[in-house]
Every structure is written in structure tokens, then in C-alpha cells.
């Protein structure tokens, strides 16, 4: 997030898109709902489902799946045509405005209605509200990123925020909500193929020299490695021989599960380190038991870049170890000593090599976490990014045209399917499904479908149905719901039985490498 | 200081900050005025009247939570009149329903029949489940009152526990309304409200339904703010007593909000989770996963020893053996096929320190940049 979680309560206009906030980030949704009900903020929700947060909105815009760039361009067309943009901000802090203006010119509300299905007048009204905000805040989640055009979608939202001068201000900003507790931290720490910790590029000679000196090694690889969405195919065709997986369950979370499973089978050696014998761990040659959050010390970095303490409360079961300890001992056996005695010593090393974390000590975050960048021990942390200028200096507008999703409905597969989460389950369910209470509330997968679609397909609430895409078929219970919009069905992806990702499309965003989980075409029929 | 408004509280002069109530000012100055219904961040309701104070010139005692601090006021927070009023309120509360801790007091041996009555409704022979962790009990001791001498008013509403998480015990509800404020103004779930009138007043969910058939999303905010035993976690009620637990503060392991929470531990097991009040990012709030989704920690399905697959089946192994095998296989694959034939997936679920060590291992030891995690998935 460019801003903080608390910022939503300081905004007078909030635009939420591609986020089922009340179910996936309930505590942030409470802040949005408070802003609306108690502080008079205006809320615009753009989402293909009538999600609960939409019931709090002044305007709920319903785009067809995979048409985000179109409606965002449409809003910008209105804002530019009506002169509602922040001229001062655009002139002083951005570049590329003319190119943007040219591209969005054709995205009139009427043209956009043809693509997105959003009534032209509604889109224009929402655009005026966002542009007219004193402080406008954009909140988005995987509904924006999990598309082949995910990177374009995010850039388009950034265009919109810059155009209206809503970046770098308290209360505003462009705020992605991270799905998992430490996605932010995993990225910050260099859990990515192209960067060391603190986003220092592996291609940078200087960065490599620095790490080599700290780590006491030579010849660090200077080319970016493979992303997870490249590793699986590489395993499939034999280029990748061994995979070491820590705390992840790609066999459930990958788009197109069957393909992922075959890929792992082709490996010579698979190690999985986890709390449970997950679907992925079952395929491993060696499984290593690790501790859970309640059993270890360390830090997580939340979605607002706030580094917070994790503390040990109970002993681990059996012989489970800290994840760092396991890795350190493997390293030791391979001839490289990692003699850390505790997590804090690791943090000290992180601080030495990671400028944005340099000022973050355990002592400083004892009571309340700090936002990186925090370059030295006196620095108060950075709750709001881009206050004076952008990282690259001037903010660059990206002129982007809308591209249709990889898969579209046709006669054989007449319905769109989108996937997501439910309140009572988390990710692939390895943790939440151990809770009787949560299972009582959300015991099994379901197909969310509108009343009309259900009638058309001869399905009643509670019926078992077969859902088929070009990649597979799953069976589940139909739930007729007013959250569903005609023509689009929804399935949560948590459940191994009736796994939604048997159906989804593994087509990737070419830049972010994120699969298009949010759009595929399916047909449904009453289960035999 | 000349341009600041001042008032006098308990004989001392204090400056007034714009917009603050008498209660705000007192808290700022470290003067303790007891409250029951007051909930930080929500509109004051003045419902319980425990916070009344004496203001010179006012005809009645005034609730400090709703009365603005005003220039030249002379306020007494513990005058005899104030104390008397608080005692009366507490007495009435204790006499209504099933307050069967020592604060209730016993009327000439009538205790036994009272306790038997309570047991019927409560399905337990023990004394109140929040004994020792109750605001009403604390205040009863502080003001030296019991419910003695007043007839017990029976509560016509039975206990509700047909959901996995929360038990609603109307017999110990003091109708302070904190849960209603928490649900409507803090979490904005709008699941509960005051229903019925007069002596029959009750906190109801969606037309007096069980919680599970209402808009309730089991965030548990109401449980955390309930000052008495009217709302208690189901797994805690009569199973965990506050003096049996220790707490450790940490960060939630589920979504990216990173809520600050306390793990309550009894006999080496996490038995309850509560939100840490007064600090970012969640200021005490949690969601159902963070508050109630901790069973996995002590699940019997946790892995407790390394496993090695042989002939398609796992067998248990020692760390020695497992680590040796992993190191040896990685070495030989690296030697035969090169570093880039190996990949490592680190995790959005583990700590920063662990992610750092994992990527360092890949880069410095395996000598590959094939490092990623599954957040794209
Ligand atoms: S709710 Fe409080 S006052 Fe009432 S019986 Fe329980 S401990 Fe005592
Ligand atoms: S658990 Fe949450 S939603 Fe349910 S009644 Fe309590 S505060 Fe409201
Ligand atoms: S308590 Fe809920 S909202 Fe808070 S971090 Fe955990 S999962 Fe997220």
C-alpha cells in the first residue's frame, strides 16, 4: 500500500475494486464501513459480484469479467474531457499525460458500456465523484491482479490516482490488500527471482558485491531466475530437477491443478517443509516438519509495509523446527555455515544489507510496528509513500489499451466463472479446515449462481451440479445468491474436494506471471 | 495558558481541550471515573450511568461520558452523592439475573436455592464463568455493594449457544449496550440491536434469531467488549479461568492486515485469542479467523517428525537422516545438472527472517536465483 490502513478513514471518497473486503480483509472493511456510515465518506465499488461491501456504496458498478482497463480508461476519459483532473499535480509531478489523453480519448462512457456493461451515466457519475474528492483512496485486491492483464489493471489504477492527484497524500493513495499475512515480507526479503532483499536487483553488480561480502561467497548468479509459474512448466519438461518448497501448497493454489501435479511428478527430488502433510507434501520425497506462528519469534510485514513482531507463545509439537533453522542446517551440511542463534540475529543481518529495513530493530517495534522505508534507527518510518516525489522522480502515465481476457464464453461454455475466498476459510484451507467452528460455518465448496441462471439451467438452491471448463469437471452444491450477477458464477478455491483450480485457466500475465484465476468459461448441468 | 478554558476537578484546576467530555478530561489527567457502557471509538450512549459526577450548580448528577467539559465547571468525581448513585446502580445490576459470584451476596441462606435456579439455566454447577475478569464484579468490590436485600429479578430469556463460537447468556447481561455499539459502530456488521422494551429489553439479532441466522459474521468484537459474562467464547466458558492463563502478544497469521493479537495459553495450549486494544493496525478488532481459527496449532495432524518416502510410502526419519538426504540430493543434482536445475519456493506464510535465510540459501549455497513464493497463485 502507498498509504496506511488507517488512511481509509481519512478519505472522503473511497473506490474499492476487485476486493471482497468484508470477507477477505474484514478488519479493513470495518474501517471502510466506518468511513461511510460515521464520517460521511462516499464509496464506489466496482466488482463483478454484488459483494457485501457494495451494499454500503453510493455506486456499485458491475463490469463484465476482465474489462477493468476499459472502465478505468472510461473514468479517465470523463475526467479529462470535463477538465476535472488535478492540473497542478499532473504538471508538477508526472509525465506522459499527452499519450494517456490520446489513448483514453476513445473510451467514452458509451463505448465503455459496450465493453463492460456498466451504464454510461453511472460510470460518468462515479468518475466525477472520485475526481472531485478532496482525498480519494483506491483499495484493490486480487480481482484486479489475477488477470492476464493484471499488470495493466494496476497501472491503470495508478494512472487514475495520479490524474486526480490522490497519491502522496494522507488518506489517499493506491492500496493493494495482500491476501496472505506475509506476502509483503516475502517480497521485501528477496523471495523473488530478480531481487535480493529490499528490491536490490540481482543484475546489479553493486548489489551482488555487497551480498557477496556480507555472505562470504563469490559468484552470485547475475541473471534473474524463474518465477513459480515458470518453474512448474520447467519441471514438466525436465529443465528443473529439484524443488524445495517451504510452507506453500501449489498443488491447490496453482491455476490448472492437473498440470501442476504432473509437473511435480517429473521432478527428480522434491522437498516440502510445512505444518501439515498438504496435497503438495504428499508428492514429496522428503517432508520436514516446521513450526507455526505461535511457536516462533520473528517479524511479519503487513499490507501497509508495517514490520511487526511475531512471538513464541507455545512449544512446537514433536520435533518441528523453525523454518530458518531447518534451512540453515541443510546449508551447513552443504558446506556453508549459517550460525544464527535466534531470529533477532537474522534481523540484524537483514538490517545491514537492506536499506529500507536498516532502522528497524526489535527494540523499536516492541509496542507498535514501523513502516518501511526506515533507513536508520532514528527514522520514524514511512507511513505514506511518494509524498514529495515518486521513486523514479516523475510519475509516469502508462497509456494502455484494453485487451479481452484469454478465455471468453461461447456456445459450449456459456457462463463466466470467477474464483475467490470466503470469510470462514483461508487460502488452501490447511489451517482453517482444522477448526470445527469454521468448518461448521463453511463446510464445503459451492457454486454461487444467480436466480435466473439457475432457472435457465434447471438448477435449484442446494442441488448438486457439475461444472465443466476446458480443463476439467468438478461437482458441488449450487447456492442461489443475490451476490451473483446473471451470466457469471463464483466458486471459492479453498476446497481440495471440488477444487476450483481444476477449472481455472493457467494463462499468465506476461509481466507479473500471475494466472488468470478471475476469468474462465464454464458450463453447468445438474449432477447425474 | 491564559487563553485556555479551565475547570476544577476534585479541587485541582485543569485546562480543557476543545470538544472533550468530562470523562475524556479525567482520563487524560489520570483521574479514574468508572465506566461500563463507554466504548472507545463509538458514540457515547450514557446508558449505564455509572460514570455520573457531581457538577456544581447542576440539578442532577451528570453522566461524564456525554457531558462536555465546560469553562469554570466545578466537578467532583467521587463525592458522597456520586458514590451513593453508583452503589444503587450496581445493586440493581447485581440483583437482576444470575450474578452468582460473591458480588451477589447471600440473603439469609437463600443462596442455595438461588444457585440451584442459576444452574438450571446455565447448565453448570460452577460459579460464573468470568469470575475474576468482570468489570461489574470489580466495581461491586470497589464500591462495597452486593445484590443483597433486593429480590432477584428473573430473566425470561434462555441461554443461546447454537453456534460454534459465542455463548449469549442473557441472565448476566446488564444491558450496557457495548456489544451493540461494537457491532454497529466499530465493526459495522449491524447484526445486533436492542429489542423489546422496558423490563423485557434484550439484545437481539435480526428479529430475535440465534446469531447463526443473522448477519453476524462472528468477529467476536462483542465478546471482547462485554464487561460481564453475557458474551463469552464457547470454548472458554467454564473451561478456562483467567488466572489459569498467560498471554503472549503476536501478529495474526492469516491475512495481510497483520492484526495484533494476544494468545491466551493454558497448560501449553492456546485456548483463546483477543485483539490488542489501542495499537495499530486493528485497535482491538479481529475477524473470525484471527479470533477463532487457532485450532490448527494443536491439531493432531501436525507433522511432528521428518518423513522420507520409500517405495511410494512415507516413513518417519530422524532429523540427521532427513537433512543428510536433502543435502546430498541437492548437491548431486547441482553437480550433475547445474545450479539452475534447482528451484526454491519460499513462503508468504513464514517470517521475514525465514524468508531472508531461504533466499540466501538459494543464492549463496545453491547458487541460483530460482527463488519465488506462491503469492502469484
Ligand atoms: S457477570 Fe460479573 S458480576 Fe455477574 S456473576 Fe459473573 S463475575 Fe459476578
Ligand atoms: S460477533 Fe461480530 S458480527 Fe456477531 S454480533 Fe458480535 S460484533 Fe456483531
Ligand atoms: S484477524 Fe482477520 S483481519 Fe486481522 S489479520 Fe487476522 S485474518 Fe486478517
Amino acid at each position: 500500500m502507498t498509504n496506511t490502513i488507517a488512511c481509509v478513514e481519512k478519505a472522503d471518497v473511497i473506490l474499492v475494486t476487485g476486493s471482497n473486503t468484508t470477507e477477505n480483509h474484514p478488519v479493513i472493511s470495518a474501517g471502510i464501513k466506518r468511513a461511510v456510515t460515521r464520517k460521511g465518506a462516499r464509496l464506489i465499488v466496482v466488482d463483478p459480484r454484488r459483494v457485501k461491501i457494495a451494499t454500503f456504496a453510493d455506486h456499485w458498478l458491475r463490469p463484465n469479467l476482465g474489462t477493468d482497463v476499459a472502465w478505468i480508461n472510461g473514468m479517465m476519459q470523463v475526467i479529462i474531457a470535463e477538465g476535472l483532473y488535478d492540473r497542478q499535480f499532473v504538471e508538477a509531478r508526472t509525465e506522459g499525460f499527452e499519450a494517456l489523453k490520446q489513448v483514453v480519448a476513445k473510451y467514452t462512457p458509451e463505448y465503455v458500456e459496450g465493453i463492460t456493461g456498466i451504464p454510461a451515466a453511472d460510470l460518468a457519475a462515479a468518475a466525477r465523484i472520485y475526481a472531485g474528492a478532496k482525498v480519494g483512496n483506491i483499495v484493490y485486491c486480487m480481482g484486479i491482479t489475477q488477470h492476464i492483464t493484471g499488470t495493466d489493471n494496476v497501472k491503470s489504477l495508478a494512472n487514475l490516482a495520479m490524474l486526480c492527484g490522490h497519491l502522496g497524500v494522507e488518506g489517499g493513495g493506491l492500496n493493494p490488500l495482500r491476501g496472505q499475512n506475509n506476502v509483503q515480507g516475502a517480497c521485501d526479503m528477496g523471495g523473488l527471482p530478480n531481487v535480493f532483499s529490499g528490491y536490490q536487483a540481482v543484475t546489479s553488480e553493486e548489489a551482488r558485491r555487497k551480498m557477496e561480502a556480507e555472505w562470504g561467497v563469490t559468484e552470485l548468479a547475475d541473471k534473474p531466475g524463474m518465477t513459480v509459474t515458470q518453474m512448474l512448466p520447467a519441471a514438466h519438461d525436465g529443465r528443473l530437477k529439484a524443488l524445495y518448497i517451504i510452507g506453500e501448497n501449489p498443488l491447490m493454489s496453482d491455476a490448472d491443478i492437473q498440470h501442476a501435479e504432473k509437473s511435480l511428478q517429473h521432478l527428480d527430488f522434491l522437498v516440502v517443509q510445512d505444518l501439515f502433510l498438504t496435497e503438495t507434501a504428499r508428492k514429496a520425497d522428503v517432508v520436514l516438519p516446521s513450526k507455526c506462528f505461535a511457536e516462533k519469534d520473528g517479524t511479519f510485514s503487513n499490507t501497509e509495509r508495517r514490520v511487526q513482531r511475531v512471538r513464541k507463545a507455545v512449544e512446537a509439537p514433536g520435533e518441528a523446527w523453525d523454518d530458518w533453522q531447518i534451512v540453515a542446517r541443510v546449508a551447513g551440511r552443504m558446506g556453508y555455515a549459517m550460525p544464527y542463534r535466534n531470529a533477532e540475529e537474522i534481523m540484524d543481518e537483514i538490517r545491514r544489507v537492506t536499506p529500507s529495513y536498516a532502522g528497524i530493530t526489535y527494540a523499536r517495534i516492541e509496542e507498535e510496528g514501523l513502516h518501511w522505508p526506515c533507513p536508520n534507527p532514528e527514522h520514524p518510518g514511512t507511513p505514506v509513500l511518494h509524498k514529495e516525489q515518486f521513486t523514479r522522480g516523475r510519475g509516469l502515465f502508462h497509456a494502455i489499451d484494453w485487451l479481452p481476457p484469454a478465455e471468453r464464453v461461447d456456445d459450449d461454455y456459456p457462463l463466466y466463472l470467477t474464483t475467490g475466498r470466503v470469510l470462514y476459510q483461508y487460502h488452501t484451507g490447511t489451517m482453517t479446515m482444522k477448526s470445527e467452528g469454521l468448518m461448521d460455518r463453511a463446510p464445503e465448496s459451492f457454486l454461487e449462481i444467480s436466480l435466473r441462471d439457475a432457472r435457465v439451467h434447471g438448477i435449484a438452491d442446494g442441488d448438486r451440479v457439475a461444472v465443466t471448463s476446458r480443463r476439467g469437471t468438478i461437482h458441488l452444491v449450487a447456492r442461489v445468491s443475490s451476490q451473483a450477477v446473471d451470466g457469471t458464477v463464483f466458486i471459492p478455491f479453498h476446497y481440495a474436494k471440488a477444487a476450483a483450480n481444476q477449472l481455472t485457466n493457467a494463462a499468465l500475465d506476461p509481466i507479473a506471471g500471475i494466472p488468470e484465476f478471475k476469468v474462465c468459461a464454464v458450463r453447468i448441468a445438474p449432477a447425474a | 495558558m491564559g487563553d485556555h478554558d479551565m475547570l476544577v476537578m476534585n479541587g485541582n484546576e485543569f485546562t480543557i481541550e476543545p470538544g472533550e467530555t468530562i470523562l475524556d478530561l479525567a482520563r487524560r489527567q489520570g483521574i479514574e471515573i468508572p465506566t461500563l457502557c463507554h466504548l472507545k471509538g463509538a458514540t457515547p450512549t450514557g446508558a449505564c450511568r455509572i460514570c455520573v459526577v457531581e457538577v456544581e450548580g447542576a440539578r442532577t448528577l451528570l453522566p461524564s461520558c456525554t457531558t462536555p467539559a465546560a469553562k469554570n465547571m466545578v466537578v467532583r468525581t467521587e463525592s458522597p452523592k456520586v458514590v451513593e448513585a453508583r452503589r444503587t446502580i450496581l445493586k440493581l445490576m447485581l440483583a437482576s439475573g444470575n450474578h452468582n459470584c460473591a458480588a451477589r451476596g447471600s440473603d439469609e441462606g437463600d443462596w442455595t436455592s438461588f444457585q440451584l435456579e442459576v444452574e438450571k439455566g446455565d447448565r453448570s454447577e460452577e460459579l460464573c464463568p468470568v469470575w475474576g475478569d468482570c468489570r461489574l464484579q470489580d466495581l461491586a468490590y470497589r464500591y462495597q455493594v452486593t445484590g443483597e436485600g433486593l429480590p432477584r429479578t428473573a430473566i425470561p430469556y434462555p441461554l443461546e449457544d447454537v453456534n460454534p463460537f459465542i455463548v449469549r447468556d442473557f441472565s448476566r447481561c446488564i444491558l450496557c449496550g457495548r456489544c451493540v455499539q461494537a457491532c454497529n459502530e466499530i465493526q459495522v456488521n449491524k447484526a445486533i440491536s436492542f429489542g423489546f422494551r422496558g423490563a423485557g429489553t434484550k439484545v437481539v439479532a435480526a428479529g430475535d434469531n440465534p446469531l447463526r441466522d443473522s448477519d453476524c459474521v462472528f468477529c467476536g468484537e462483542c465478546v471482547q467488549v462485554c464487561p460481564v459474562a453475557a458474551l463469552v467464547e464457547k470454548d472458554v466458558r467454564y473451561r478456562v479461568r483467567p488466572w489459569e492463563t498467560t498471554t503472549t502478544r503476536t501478529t495474526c497469521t492469516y491475512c495481510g492486515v497483520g492484526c495484533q493479537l494476544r494468545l491466551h495459553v493454558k497448560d501449553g495450549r492456546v485456548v483463546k485469542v483477543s485483539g490488542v486494544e489501542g495499537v495499530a493496525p486493528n485497535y482491538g478488532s479481529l475477524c473470525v479467523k484471527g479470533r477463532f481459527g487457532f485450532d490448527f496449532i494443536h491439531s493432531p495432524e501436525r507433522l511432528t517428525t521428518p518423513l522420507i518416502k520409500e517405495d511410494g510410502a512415507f516413513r518417519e526419519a530422524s532429523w540427521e537422516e532427513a537433512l543428510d538426504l536433502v543435502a546430498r540430493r541437492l548437491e548431486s543434482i547441482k553437480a550433475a545438472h547445474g545450479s539452475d536445475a534447482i528451484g526454491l519456493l519460499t513462503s508468504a506464510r513464514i517470517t521475514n527472517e525465514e524468508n531472508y535465510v531461504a533466499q540466501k540459501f538459494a543464492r549463496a549455497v545453491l547458487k541460483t536465483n530460482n527463488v519465488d513464493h506462491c503469492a502469484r497463485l
Side-chain angles (χ1 to χ4, degrees):
Chain A
M1 292 169 68
T2 62
N3 287 56
T4 68
I5 289 169
C7 272
V8 287
E9 290 185 72
K10 296 176 192 145
D12 61 326
V13 174
I14 306 167
L15 192 164
V16 174
T17 181
S19 156
N20 181 5
T21 333
T22 61
E23 300 206 54
N24 295 339
H25 297 91
V27 168
I28 291 184
S29 84
I32 296 173
K33 292 184 286 184
R34 283 196 296 269
V36 172
T37 58
R38 300 191 59 209
K39 294 174 186 154
R42 304 184 73 181
L43 176 66
I44 302 161
V45 173
V46 189
D47 201 284
R49 294 168 69 210
R50 199 181 285 102
V51 286
K52 189 136 156 213
I53 195 75
T55 63
F56 288 82
D58 290 72
H59 287 275
W60 168 51
L61 309 183
R62 198 282 167 182
N64 295 327
L65 295 188
T67 63
D68 296 299
V69 169
W71 68 257
I72 302 165
N73 278 351
M75 278 198 182
M76 292 194 284
Q77 192 276 336
V78 172
I79 291 166
I80 294 171
E82 298 185 5
L84 304 173
Y85 63 99
D86 186 335
R87 276 167 214 275
Q88 221 186 333
F89 189 93
V90 168
E91 271 165 35
R93 298 203 41 195
T94 68
E95 59 193 47
F97 175 70
E98 282 308 316
L100 176 81
K101 190 172 164 182
Q102 274 177 23
V103 164
V104 303
K106 75 165 187 253
Y107 290 84
T108 62
E110 294 70 27
Y111 175 69
V112 171
E113 179 171 348
I115 299 171
T116 64
I118 298 170
D122 287 359
L123 185 76
R128 288 177 197 124
I129 292 174
Y130 178 73
K134 277 201 283 302
V135 178
N137 189 312
I138 297 178
V139 171
Y140 70 90
C141 194
M142 256 94 90
I144 283 293
T145 54
Q146 289 180 337
H147 292 277
I148 49 163
T149 59
T151 305
D152 285 351
N153 293 349
V154 172
K155 283 183 181 158
S156 297
L157 286 176
N159 285 343
L160 178 61
M162 283 200 296
L163 185 65
C164 299
H166 293 327
L167 279 177
V169 289
E170 183 84 19
L174 184 60
N175 300 301
L177 305 183
R178 307 289 184 174
Q180 300 183 62
N181 59 325
N182 205 27
V183 180
Q184 184 70 53
C187 296
D188 297 348
M189 290 300 107
L192 292 169
N194 57 340
V195 289
F196 298 112
S197 61
Y199 306 94
Q200 304 171 83
V202 297
T203 50
S204 149
E205 172 90 26
E206 194 192 331
R208 285 199 312 280
R209 292 295 158 267
K210 175 162 111 184
M211 297 301 166
E212 285 170 358
E214 176 67 38
W215 296 345
V217 295
T218 53
E219 289 170 38
L220 289 176
D222 59 0
K223 276 194 277 311
M226 287 186 260
T227 63
V228 55
T229 41
Q230 290 165 336
M231 284 188 219
L232 291 174
H236 197 264
D237 60 32
R239 280 174 293 133
L240 196 77
K241 301 286 183 197
L243 193 54
Y244 191 140
I245 302 181
I246 303 175
E248 299 273 10
N249 191 10
L251 261 200
M252 278 295 295
S253 56
D254 190 53
D256 197 350
I257 291 177
Q258 288 99 323
H259 185 265
E261 185 165 351
K262 276 193 214 111
S263 304
L264 293 187
Q265 272 160 2
H266 286 196
L267 287 167
D268 286 355
F269 189 57
L270 174 63
V271 189
V272 173
Q273 184 168 308
D274 210 324
L275 307 178
F276 294 102
L277 200 59
T278 60
E279 289 78 8
T280 306
R282 282 178 219 285
K283 300 277 176 267
D285 298 290
V286 181
V287 179
L288 304 173
S290 59
K291 290 186 187 174
C292 80
F293 84 115
E295 296 147 3
K296 61 189 176 190
D297 286 305
T299 56
F300 290 149
S301 299
N302 78 352
T303 188
E304 54 175 357
R305 296 168 284 106
R306 193 193 287 272
V307 183
Q308 310 190 101
R309 276 303 312 273
V310 176
R311 295 184 188 83
K312 176 180 171 179
V314 292
E315 294 299 329
E319 297 174 39
W321 284 359
D322 286 288
D323 287 287
W324 64 262
Q325 217 175 6
I326 304 174
V327 173
R329 301 222 183 163
V330 175
R333 279 172 165 72
M334 294 179 72
Y336 182 83
M338 288 190 177
Y340 306 112
R341 279 169 304 178
N342 53 46
E344 193 168 7
E345 286 187 359
I346 303 171
M347 187 49 118
D348 290 340
E349 180 175 325
I350 294 170
R351 294 175 47 229
R352 283 198 296 277
V353 295
T354 316
S356 53
Y357 275 66
I360 301 178
T361 63
Y362 279 16
R364 289 190 74 192
I365 58 173
E366 184 61 26
E367 277 307 307
E368 206 162 42
L370 284 168
H371 301 268
W372 67 259
C374 179
N376 61 63
E378 285 74 45
H379 192 282
T382 312
V384 178
L385 290 182
H386 315 312
K387 265 203 167 150
E388 310 300 330
Q389 61 165 31
F390 294 100
T391 321
R392 67 184 291 278
R394 280 177 170 259
L396 179 65
F397 283 112
H398 295 268
I400 296 166
D401 253 316
W402 172 72
L403 295 171
E407 194 166 279
R408 309 186 78 168
V409 292
D410 56 22
D411 289 346
D412 292 335
Y413 299 95
L415 288 169
Y416 277 115
L417 166 69
T418 190
T419 65
R421 304 174 182 208
V422 298
L423 172 64
Y424 297 99
Q425 297 291 355
Y426 177 76
H427 215 54
T428 64
T430 51
M431 300 192 313
T432 44
M433 289 185 194
K434 306 295 183 297
S435 158
E436 265 179 53
L438 297 176
M439 284 309 274
D440 177 88
R441 299 297 298 169
E444 60 173 355
S445 194
F446 58 88
L447 174 81
E448 179 188 280
I449 185 168
S450 78
L451 184 60
R452 200 201 71 179
D453 288 343
R455 284 212 182 112
V456 168
H457 293 87
I459 286 161
D461 190 51
D463 282 359
R464 288 202 72 76
V465 289
V467 185
T468 305
S469 77
R470 291 189 174 84
R471 288 151 297 274
T473 299
I474 63 175
H475 294 90
L476 27 59
V477 169
R479 195 184 282 176
V480 175
S481 166
S482 60
Q483 290 206 57
V485 171
D486 297 343
T488 302
V489 295
F490 166 84
I491 299 175
F493 74 86
H494 311 287
Y495 301 89
K497 243 205 234 163
N501 292 344
Q502 308 254 14
L503 306 176
T504 45
N505 190 353
L508 296 181
D509 175 302
I511 297 159
I514 297 176
E516 186 148 69
F517 287 111
K518 296 297 179 192
V519 194
C520 76
V522 295
R523 66 165 173 263
I524 59 175
Chain B
M1 291 298 262
D3 48 355
H4 281 277
D5 289 348
M6 311 281 284
L7 61 59
V8 175
M9 187 176 282
N10 300 345
N12 294 315
E13 250 194 317
F14 299 107
T15 53
I16 300 170
E17 298 211 331
E20 73 180 345
T21 62
I22 298 177
L23 179 68
D24 294 334
L25 184 144
R27 295 229 159 133
R28 199 161 50 75
Q29 297 298 341
I31 297 168
E32 155 77 357
I33 298 176
T35 57
L36 279 169
C37 69
H38 184 72
L39 183 62
K40 208 169 167 233
T43 323
T45 58
C48 76
R49 298 194 65 84
I50 274 287
C51 71
V52 287
V53 291
E54 190 172 346
V55 177
E56 244 170 50
R59 279 179 300 116
T60 55
L61 298 177
L62 299 175
S64 62
C65 68
T66 53
T67 309
K71 197 175 173 174
N72 299 333
M73 262 183 176
V74 178
V75 183
R76 281 183 207 88
T77 67
E78 292 286 331
S79 70
K81 255 196 190 163
V82 167
V83 169
E84 197 39 48
R86 289 190 190 145
R87 290 175 56 110
T88 309
I89 295 164
L90 292 170
K91 221 172 171 44
L92 285 167
M93 285 178 174
L94 287 168
S96 117
N98 292 351
H99 295 283
N100 64 338
C101 69
R104 172 67 174 87
S106 56
D107 286 329
E108 292 116 40
D110 218 18
W111 175 267
T112 319
S113 60
F114 167 61
Q115 176 63 16
L116 287 174
E117 271 301 302
V118 174
E119 284 172 20
K120 254 195 272 164
D122 207 17
R123 298 174 220 158
S124 168
E125 292 167 16
E126 287 180 45
L127 298 187
C128 178
V130 303
W131 164 293
D133 181 21
C134 171
R135 203 62 197 122
L136 177 57
Q137 193 185 40
D138 293 347
L139 290 176
Y141 287 141
R142 171 164 162 189
Y143 289 98
Q144 298 285 303
V145 286
T146 64
E148 261 170 80
L150 287 178
R152 166 179 171 259
T153 26
I155 302 293
Y157 304 115
L159 196 108
E160 192 247 290
D161 65 351
V162 287
N163 70 71
F165 307 113
I166 300 172
V167 178
R168 301 163 80 202
D169 176 358
F170 302 99
S171 78
R172 291 188 178 94
C173 172
I174 56 172
L175 297 173
C176 67
R178 287 189 113 208
C179 58
V180 176
Q181 294 293 94
C183 188
N184 291 281
E185 293 199 358
I186 307 291
Q187 287 270 359
V188 205
N189 289 325
K190 303 187 186 173
I192 51 176
S193 59
F194 279 114
F196 309 108
R197 302 221 152 200
T201 305
K202 178 190 184 190
V203 175
V204 296
D208 205 13
N209 278 325
L211 283 181
R212 64 156 191 226
D213 303 322
S214 74
D215 284 334
C216 175
V217 291
F218 297 101
C219 66
E221 188 92 13
C222 54
V223 178
Q224 182 153 336
V225 303
C226 177
V228 290
L231 296 169
V232 180
E233 297 89 349
K234 197 172 198 171
D235 288 341
V236 167
R237 204 168 185 270
Y238 290 123
R239 286 192 220 167
V240 180
R241 297 287 181 172
W243 56 85
E244 300 170 330
T245 62
T246 54
T247 63
T248 301
R249 195 180 139 181
T250 190
T251 301
C252 180
T253 185
Y254 285 109
C255 82
V257 177
C259 291
Q260 293 301 293
L261 43 82
R262 283 205 170 77
L263 300 178
H264 300 241
V265 175
K266 175 185 172 182
D267 301 332
R269 296 174 70 88
V270 178
V271 290
K272 164 177 164 164
V273 174
S274 59
V276 181
E277 279 155 24
V279 295
N282 52 312
Y283 298 95
S285 293
L286 295 175
C287 78
V288 64
K289 292 181 285 287
R291 194 183 297 275
F292 295 110
F294 56 84
D295 291 355
F296 78 91
I297 299 170
H298 304 294
S299 161
E301 291 172 45
R302 281 286 297 275
L303 292 167
T304 55
T305 161
L307 302 173
I308 291 177
K309 195 178 272 168
E310 262 173 16
D311 305 326
F314 284 118
R315 65 163 174 84
E316 295 190 353
S318 69
W319 274 110
E320 279 302 299
E321 188 190 2
L323 294 175
D324 279 341
L325 177 63
V326 172
R328 208 174 57 237
R329 295 283 282 139
L330 291 178
E331 284 284 13
S332 68
I333 289 171
K334 185 175 156 197
H337 305 280
S339 290
D340 287 338
I342 307 176
L344 183 140
L345 295 182
T346 176
S347 173
R349 320 302 331 287
I350 63 177
T351 63
N352 289 330
E353 291 77 359
E354 291 166 330
N355 272 292
Y356 176 83
V357 168
Q359 61 93 31
K360 176 176 169 179
F361 169 69
R363 297 191 156 112
V365 184
L366 300 176
K367 288 282 167 62
T368 178
N369 282 322
N370 291 339
V371 186
D372 201 4
H373 60 275
C374 288
R376 295 165 211 269
L377 303 180

